[in-house]
Amino acid sequence: TFHARARPAPHQGDATVMAAVIDDNAHACATGPAPLARRARDSASASRDVLAAARDRVEARRAGGFVRQCHGDLHLRNLVLLDGRPTLFD
């Protein structure tokens, strides 16, 4: 319901932007301890491969109006337990 009510954002969510997020995350972890940097590199490589394979699908979802102006990452800073039910807010 939350996602369905959010404003469509066809100008966002393209594969190029997603690739930049992957690269930014990998870069942020690259200066960490060697095991973290190695895992970040491996994860970024795998993420790029998945994104390349799904590029047409990602673009079709965006063009179809399925990308919305809202948080894409659910975490405890945008979730609350309200009346015993997890509730999203932005």
Side-chain angles (χ1 to χ4, degrees), residues 26 29-46 48:
C29 295
T31 59
L36 173 63
R38 187 171 44 256
R39 289 181 66 99
R41 233 181 358 261
D42 293 347
S43 177
S45 178
R48 283 187 208 98

Side-chain angles (χ1 to χ4, degrees), residues 2 4-5 9 20-21 24-25 30 35 38-40 46 50 54 59 61-63 66 68 70 72 76 78 85 89-90:
F2 181 82
R5 282 190 249 164
V21 170
D24 287 348
N25 289 340
R38 187 171 44 256
R39 289 181 66 99
V50 169
E59 294 301 332
R61 288 187 76 251
R62 184 180 61 79
F66 293 101
R68 304 297 173 121
C70 60
L76 295 179
N78 57 13
R85 293 183 53 177
F89 63 93
D90 193 14

